Amino acid sequence: GEPPAWAPGPAQAAALLEEAADLLVLHRDFAAAVERCEAGCDSLGPGPGHERCLFLTSFAEVKCSLCVVGIQALAEMNRWREVLSWVLQYYHVPEHLPPKVLELCILLYSRVGEPQVMLEAGGSWLRAPANQALPELGALLELYVARVLLPLGRFQAAEELVRGCAAAGQQGALLGAIRDSRRRWERREEEEKPSAAEERHDPAAESVLGVLSQKLLTMLTLLRRALRSMSNHFYLLPYKKMLLATFLLYLVVVRLDPASPTSLPFIYKLVQLFRQAWAAVLSPVHRPPIQN
């Protein structure tokens, strides 16, 4: 049936929170759960600075819980791209996000492989003077560094943030973790660099591939002319199939990746196969007997 007309106020918001939780957990009606969460947040009433004064009241807890349920429902519907903008329509700026909401957003975007989404929002929250006294600051700083900055290779930014926000007892461990991550990152880049450079800058391999490609194209042209001129001879059908399959392999290996030296051995085999097919076409010895 039609949902009731909800009057604004914390009591209605709490009732909507309960409905949203039931829809999420028991009925798995995620779209309806998001609607209840939105109605609950709207019933609390927006306003500049309103979220900050709510942190010491039950209003803040209800609103935060509504957003937590809404985040989970959006994620269940694979609408995770909307999560950050969805919560910001109720908190307006990242600095006003409750710690629990910020934590869920960081975990969500890290889990789906998009940590850069939280790069600006998380940094703004951690640097905001009003959040420096919150007890969750240290845990959120550690989470933000591990799940956002380090996977993106922002090592210098991570060190600056830790020195500016972390407590004295936390700085040493976090800076050590940043240094270890930087070393692993640089070592991985060094290991990948030779193979990538070899693929891009091996002139000898590229020149050999160019010559072979030209030879294969020339041989293919000759074979196609010969087959066209002798198309009325049925004994050539097996060779046509073989040449067609060989040509398809040639397209995949040579034409699609002409700069890859790993394809050289296979290209030599293709050349030999073309030569054998060409000899078979020209040699009368391979002609099968005519069936009466």
Side-chain angles (χ1 to χ4, degrees), residues 13-287:
L16 289 168
L17 173 61
E18 185 176 353
E19 287 186 34
D22 288 342
L23 289 167
L24 174 68
V25 178
L26 300 180
H27 304 288
R28 300 187 65 79
D29 189 345
F30 307 124
V34 172
E35 291 177 0
R36 298 298 192 276
C37 292
E38 291 173 343
C41 289
D42 290 338
S43 72
L44 291 174
H50 182 57
E51 294 78 11
R52 180 60 54 189
C53 69
L54 288 179
F55 279 151
L56 301 179
T57 71
S58 60
F59 288 24
E61 296 298 328
V62 173
K63 188 172 184 178
C64 176
S65 299
L66 285 165
C67 287
V68 167
V69 174
I71 290 171
Q72 183 63 36
L74 288 171
E76 293 286 353
M77 292 188 292
N78 200 29
R79 291 169 55 186
W80 51 268
R81 293 176 181 84
E82 306 173 30
V83 164
L84 182 59
S85 60
W86 185 80
V87 297
L88 286 178
Q89 69 180 323
Y90 302 114
Y91 289 97
H92 308 296
V93 291
E95 300 90 272
H96 291 172
L97 291 175
K100 185 61 177 178
V101 171
L102 180 66
E103 178 186 3
L104 285 179
C105 290
I106 293 175
L107 290 172
L108 173 63
Y109 285 104
S110 172
R111 180 70 177 271
V112 298
E114 300 286 345
Q116 69 276 4
V117 175
M118 295 303 300
L119 186 62
E120 183 176 351
S124 298
W125 193 97
L126 290 166
R127 293 184 181 91
N131 295 327
Q132 299 303 306
L134 295 178
E136 299 89 351
L137 178 69
L140 284 174
L141 173 62
E142 185 175 348
L143 182 68
Y144 177 75
V145 168
R147 297 296 188 96
V148 178
L149 293 180
L150 296 187
L152 295 175
R154 304 293 187 100
F155 304 110
Q156 183 174 353
E159 291 177 352
E160 294 174 356
L161 184 64
V162 167
R163 291 191 174 97
C165 298
Q170 190 184 23
Q171 284 191 14
L174 284 176
L175 291 174
I178 294 170
R179 286 192 294 268
D180 292 342
S181 181
R182 187 198 293 268
R183 283 194 291 267
R184 288 193 298 269
W185 182 288
E186 293 173 349
R187 185 164 56 248
R188 187 164 57 248
E189 284 187 336
E190 288 298 323
E191 291 173 354
E192 294 174 356
K193 190 180 300 183
S195 59
E198 183 180 354
E199 290 181 3
R200 290 193 300 268
H201 306 293
D202 190 348
E206 292 179 1
S207 61
V208 172
L209 282 171
V211 173
L212 287 175
S213 299
Q214 188 60 43
K215 287 184 178 180
L216 286 173
L217 287 173
T218 303
M219 294 176 67
L220 179 62
T221 302
L222 294 174
L223 284 170
R224 290 179 64 186
R225 290 177 182 173
L227 288 173
R228 192 181 301 113
S229 64
M230 294 182 289
S231 59
N232 57 336
H233 295 280
F234 294 100
Y235 68 87
L236 287 177
L237 288 176
Y239 294 106
K240 288 183 180 180
K241 294 179 180 180
M242 178 181 67
L243 293 175
L244 178 60
T246 306
F247 179 55
L248 292 175
L249 289 173
Y250 160 77
L251 287 177
V252 172
V253 175
V254 180
R255 301 296 294 172
L256 296 183
D257 192 9
S260 175
T262 59
S263 60
L264 280 173
F266 193 76
I267 294 175
Y268 287 125
K269 292 181 182 179
L270 286 179
V271 174
Q272 294 174 1
L273 188 56
F274 268 110
R275 288 175 177 171
Q276 293 173 5
W278 180 246
V281 170
L282 296 181
S283 175
V285 177
H286 295 279
R287 178 180 300 192

